[in-house]
Amino acid sequence: MTRAKQSTARPARTPLPLWAAVLMGIAALLGSLSIAVSVGAISIPLETVWGVLIHKIAPNAIAVDWSNGREAIVWDIRFPRAILACFVGAGLAMVGASLQAVTRNPLADPHLLGISAGGAFGAILALLHTGLFLGLLTVPLLAFLGSLGATLIVLGVSQFASATSADRLVLAGIAVSFIVMSGANILIFLGDPRATHTVVFWMLGGLGLAQWDQLIYPATILLLCGGFLWLRSGTLNAMTIGDETATTLGISVARFRLTIFVIGALITGVMVAFSGIIGFVGLMVPHIVRLLVGGDYRRLLPLCALCGAVFLVWADVIARTIMAPDDMPIGIVTGLIGGMFFVWLLRKKLG
């Protein structure tokens, strides 16, 4: 009997080392970027894609055997678009994972909690009413303030309605999201009709406005805030166990939770300012990564960033090719995939 049990017992699976998982994620990301820049209404060979990249980094390294038009498509249009997809996907995935820790809610997501809607409100306010009074910083700044305001409203509503449970917090976020989006629609209604078509970008999500000189803003926010979240991985692990356990470990639970919400609002607001509302990335990616590597945030956060980047790059590829030469808003693609994932998650959690 003992021998039978020993013979049928499966050895415990050793988790893949973090460095190996990160290297695999980077390889997948580089491959995805190559394909994303290559495909489109005009297909460009992969050797040309890498040739243009090498030529821009080291102008005299290789011979130029492509046209100026193809170089412009690769370098000026598709590369910044794909890199912006990486930044946005990585940022939203890390925010979603962090919110799920501090709320202990598997359904927490910057889109469902109204944070993205607040960012869109701020961006629309800047575009249609205040003008770019701070230059290129105006839209990201007001988007962050909008996201932060929506976050504070969600927290206030949850306290007012005694919605302290995980499920009710999401319901409070959804309610605030509807209210904030109604405010954004009022701003559109009161704005210049000739300019309102530009806000469709923020309502439906898209990466078509990506430019090299603007990528510094999401890159800086992702590096600083993402690094902060990773450095606090141990605290996030403690928060997943419960407030009482975290308190016994010397963690100021309320202050840390508010800090994570502010950091999440900053990342989401800046990403929304350049990509519009892209939903469900922060919901899906952390759950998928947990299935692969477990729930330790020291492993989870960097891999969420890589997987979020890969996911959004491929979502953008679908958005660009499914109706080529026209671009489908990427928010439609992520909404369709995310909605089905949300239903599956509800069935798994409630079943």
Side-chain angles (χ1 to χ4, degrees):
M1 187 70 176
T2 305
R3 291 180 180 178
K5 287 184 178 180
Q6 291 177 348
S7 62
T8 58
R10 296 180 179 179
R13 184 177 61 179
T14 302
L16 193 67
L18 179 59
W19 64 267
V22 169
L23 287 179
M24 292 174 60
I26 292 174
L29 182 58
L30 291 176
S32 300
L33 281 173
S34 302
I35 297 173
V37 177
S38 175
V39 301
I42 299 176
S43 181
I44 297 177
L46 289 176
E47 56 267 24
T48 301
V49 171
W50 284 100
V52 170
L53 178 61
I54 295 172
H55 174 69
K56 290 295 181 179
I57 297 174
N60 298 321
I62 60 175
V64 175
D65 59 354
W66 54 81
S67 65
N68 291 333
R70 289 200 167 191
E71 181 173 319
I73 292 173
V74 169
W75 185 252
D76 296 328
I77 298 175
R78 293 185 184 172
F79 252 122
R81 179 171 181 154
I83 292 175
L84 179 60
C86 293
F87 293 157
V88 174
L92 294 179
M94 294 185 77
V95 171
S98 302
L99 292 177
Q100 289 164 16
V102 297
T103 62
R104 295 191 306 281
N105 185 349
L107 304 180
D109 168 79
H111 181 63
L112 293 178
L113 291 180
I115 302 176
S116 296
F121 180 92
I124 292 170
L125 179 64
L127 289 170
L128 296 183
H129 296 279
T130 67
L132 303 181
F133 57 91
L134 293 177
L136 293 177
L137 284 175
T138 307
V139 177
L141 177 61
L142 290 188
F144 161 63
L145 293 177
S147 294
L148 181 60
T151 300
L152 297 177
I153 292 173
V154 170
L155 295 177
V157 168
S158 63
Q159 291 294 326
F160 174 76
S162 299
T164 55
S165 67
D167 295 337
R168 290 192 175 187
L169 181 63
V170 172
L171 293 177
I174 293 173
V176 171
S177 179
F178 277 110
I179 295 171
V180 173
M181 288 309 301
S182 295
N185 290 332
I186 292 174
L187 292 179
I188 296 173
F189 180 75
L190 297 176
D192 185 353
R194 294 170 296 180
T196 53
H197 68 281
T198 60
V199 303
V200 175
F201 170 80
W202 274 268
M203 303 295 286
L204 299 178
L207 303 169
L209 300 182
Q211 299 178 21
W212 281 113
D213 58 350
Q214 296 180 0
L215 292 180
I216 185 64
Y217 302 112
T220 301
I221 292 300
L222 179 62
L223 180 63
L224 295 178
C225 295
F228 172 83
L229 293 175
W230 186 69
L231 290 174
R232 303 306 298 271
S233 297
T235 309
L236 289 170
N237 284 334
M239 292 291 290
T240 60
I241 301 174
D243 289 359
E244 294 182 358
T245 302
T247 302
T248 60
L249 295 175
I251 299 171
S252 178
V253 172
R255 180 182 299 176
F256 181 72
R257 181 177 289 119
L258 181 60
T259 300
I260 295 300
F261 270 102
V262 172
I263 293 294
L266 179 57
I267 296 176
T268 304
V270 172
M271 298 308 169
V272 166
F274 293 98
S275 68
I277 300 178
I278 298 177
F280 294 107
V281 177
L283 175 68
M284 291 185 292
V285 174
H287 285 283
I288 295 172
V289 175
R290 284 190 189 96
L291 293 176
L292 299 176
V293 301
D296 185 352
Y297 273 76
R298 290 168 294 187
R299 298 165 56 85
L300 185 68
L301 284 176
L303 294 177
C304 275
L306 288 170
C307 290
V310 170
F311 170 76
L312 206 60
V313 166
W314 280 104
D316 186 52
V317 169
I318 295 172
R320 288 191 292 111
T321 57
I322 195 170
M323 296 179 62
D326 296 325
D327 282 0
M328 174 185 291
I330 193 173
I332 296 176
V333 177
T334 60
L336 179 62
I337 299 174
M340 293 186 293
F341 184 87
F342 188 76
V343 172
W344 173 82
L345 188 62
L346 285 175
R347 177 178 174 83
K348 178 182 177 183
K349 294 298 178 182
L350 299 177

